[in-house]
Every structure is written in C-alpha cells, then in structure tokens.
Amino acid sequence: MNIPALLTLSAAIACMTVQASAQDLRSSRRAISYHTVDIDGLMIFYREAGPANAPTVLMLHGFPSSSRMWEPLLPLLADKYHLIAPDYPGFGNSSAPSPSGFAYTFDNLARVIGELTTKLGLTDYVLFMQDYGGPVGFRMALSHPERVRAIIVQNAVSHEQGLSPLWAARRKYWADPVHELENLKANFTSFDATRQRHIGTSPRPERYDPDTWTDEYAFLSRPGQADIQATLFFDYRTNVASYPQWQRWLRETRPPILVVWGQYDPSFTVAGATAYGDDVPDAEIHILEAGHFALDEATDEIASLVRKFLERMDGHRG
C-alpha cells in the first residue's frame, strides 16, 4: 500500500475513533430534570436529580438565591442519591404572590416545602441546609423528626455567636421597620451587598463568577420583590428567637451532622460552625476556603465531603 493510501486509511481510523469517543460521552447532567407542582394554589418549582429509589437529599437554598445554587453539586451526587431542590414561594421559579396574598414567614415557607415533600412521597431524607435553608429545615425537622436521617449544614446559623457585626443594622430594622427600611436595603439587598455576600473576605475574588450576584440582583429587582424580601426578613427575628429550641432538639436527638462552612462569609462567622459541635459532640465540622455560598469556590471539596458522609450513613444503615 502506498503512502497516500496509508495516510487516508489512518485518517479514516482516527475519524472513526473520534466519532466512537464522542458517542460514548454522556453528560452527567442527563439525570437532572425540572418540575413545577401545585401546592395550595402556589406553583412550586423544584430540581430533581438521581434515581428516585436512591436515598433522598432535600436541598434547601439560601437568600437571595434559589435551587439554582445547587446546580454545581447535582451532577456530582446524582449517580447515587435522589436529590430534590425546591424554590421557596417568592424565590426563583416558584410563585411570588404579593405579601397581601401570602404570609411571608419562615413558618409558612416550611409549611409549603413540607407539603411539597408529602406530595412527592418523601418520608426519609437528609436535610442539606444553606442560609435560609436552616430556618426552613429546622422547622421541618421539629415538625417531622422521624423523616430526618441526618443534617448537612452549609453556612446556616442556629447560634447567636454565628451572627457577624453586620446584624447590628439588621436588628435595627426589626426594631423599627418603617424608619430602617432604606438602611436595610443598603445593608442587605443592594447590588454591593449582593456581590459582597458571595466574595466576602476571600483572597481569591477572581475565582467568583460575577453572573451569580448579577443574576441575584436582577431577581431582587423584579417587581414586588422588595416588599416580599423585606416582609420575610422582618420575620427572621423569629429564627433568632428559635435558636434555643433548635439547639435543644440537636442535643436531644443527636442526628448525624456534617458542617461545611465557608470562612470568608461576611454574614455568618466561623463560630456559627463550631457551635454545632457544642450540641452534637460527634458533629463533623470542616472550615473551607470559601465564602457564604461555598459552592462558588469549593464545589469539589464539598462534593467529596458530602459523598463520604452519606456513604458512611448508608453503610451504617445497611
């Protein structure tokens, strides 16, 4: 066979190999799907990933995010776990009625998400809670403790020592919401505050995608959102008042608990992470090189820690 023919044959084989390799590729996102379900007249959006017969992880998002914050983690857990990540009323792709049409309290958010789990037939799950997910999740846990296999906490506070100095201005709003509203917006819902919530004091701000806070600020700027978020945040004072009750539940129940905490969080201090060890002495606590939304910077590390934690639980249950 002459050289041109050999070259032609070699090129053909290479092309076939590339085609075969491309056909073998499967995006890990193929397990993720997006749904909306009616809960008491509200259209509640949720992301679902992984096999429905696998152990369930209920992923509760923070402010001012949505279930979208879990997107980086879903493909990394979906091979072995059933993941459900809802948007609360007033957030993301769920219904956002005005405060005159829906009571924006954390009790009510927990009630709606609890009804979602009932409708989806979720009776046994791990709670994965970030920021606002803590107040929602602890209410759900106290309401149905038999459903909670374990808890994973990512920058969700249930101890007063976890609240940074930024909360001084926020407490003023609780005391005088009429006169402190504009100060709250500057401290809590402005573009600068939305950006800072991600970057915090990180020494590597170049690792943060600006689309995250740009998109969140666009969400906060939607019609009606200012009233929704101000109303809900006024109710946040009930979370602080509930901390002793949540701590007592942790001490009495001693659930398996994993804490993964971004240390550059401007709102929640590292003391909020270590405090979980006071309630559950065998709590697994990891302080990460990351911020309030630790998945921004530590996705792989969190995925590894979560998988190991869940695998140990599965082995124990087996």
Side-chain angles (χ1 to χ4, degrees), residues 157-170:
V157 166
S158 60
H159 304 80
E160 288 241 17
Q161 59 265 46
L163 301 177
S164 79
L166 287 176
W167 287 81
R170 299 168 186 179

Side-chain angles (χ1 to χ4, degrees), residues 55-60 81-82 84 124-129 147-153 256 258 306 309-310 313-314:
T56 298
V57 180
L58 181 62
M59 311 172 87
L60 302 176
Y81 300 100
H82 180 217
I84 297 290
D124 181 54
Y125 46 74
V126 173
L127 278 174
F128 197 155
M129 312 181 301
R147 297 183 179 182
V148 181
R149 293 182 58 212
I151 288 176
I152 303 173
V153 175
L258 169 68
V306 169
F309 176 74
L310 295 176
M313 284 193 52
D314 294 340

Side-chain angles (χ1 to χ4, degrees), residues 34-140:
Y34 305 88
H35 310 272
T36 303
V37 63
D38 188 319
I39 303 293
D40 294 339
L42 296 171
M43 300 309 295
I44 301 300
F45 173 87
Y46 67 95
R47 297 164 202 260
E48 183 172 19
N53 60 350
T56 298
V57 180
L58 181 62
M59 311 172 87
L60 302 176
H61 68 79
F63 167 89
S65 188
S66 68
S67 60
R68 180 185 174 187
M69 66 163 281
W70 301 112
E71 281 280 336
L73 196 56
L74 297 181
L76 303 179
L77 301 178
D79 60 320
K80 292 186 64 175
Y81 300 100
H82 180 217
L83 311 172
I84 297 290
D87 289 351
Y88 313 135
F91 289 77
N93 292 296
S94 287
S95 295
S98 70
S100 62
F102 178 82
Y104 283 98
T105 65
F106 285 90
D107 281 348
N108 223 10
L109 297 191
R111 178 189 62 79
V112 171
I113 301 304
E115 291 182 11
L116 173 68
T117 63
T118 298
K119 179 164 272 192
L120 297 180
L122 306 180
T123 59
D124 181 54
Y125 46 74
V126 173
L127 278 174
F128 197 155
M129 312 181 301
Q130 195 270 342
D131 187 47
Y132 275 16
V136 174
F138 274 114
R139 282 171 169 82
M140 294 176 66

Side-chain angles (χ1 to χ4, degrees), residues 169 173 176-190 226-227 230:
Y173 172 70
D176 189 0
V178 174
H179 295 102
E180 291 294 329
L181 180 59
E182 292 308 312
N183 289 334
L184 175 76
K185 290 178 179 178
N187 179 269
F188 196 60
T189 59
S190 68
D227 289 341

Side-chain angles (χ1 to χ4, degrees), residues 11-25:
I13 293 173
C15 183
M16 292 173 61
T17 301
V18 170
Q19 289 176 345
S21 298
Q23 290 171 355
D24 290 340
L25 290 176

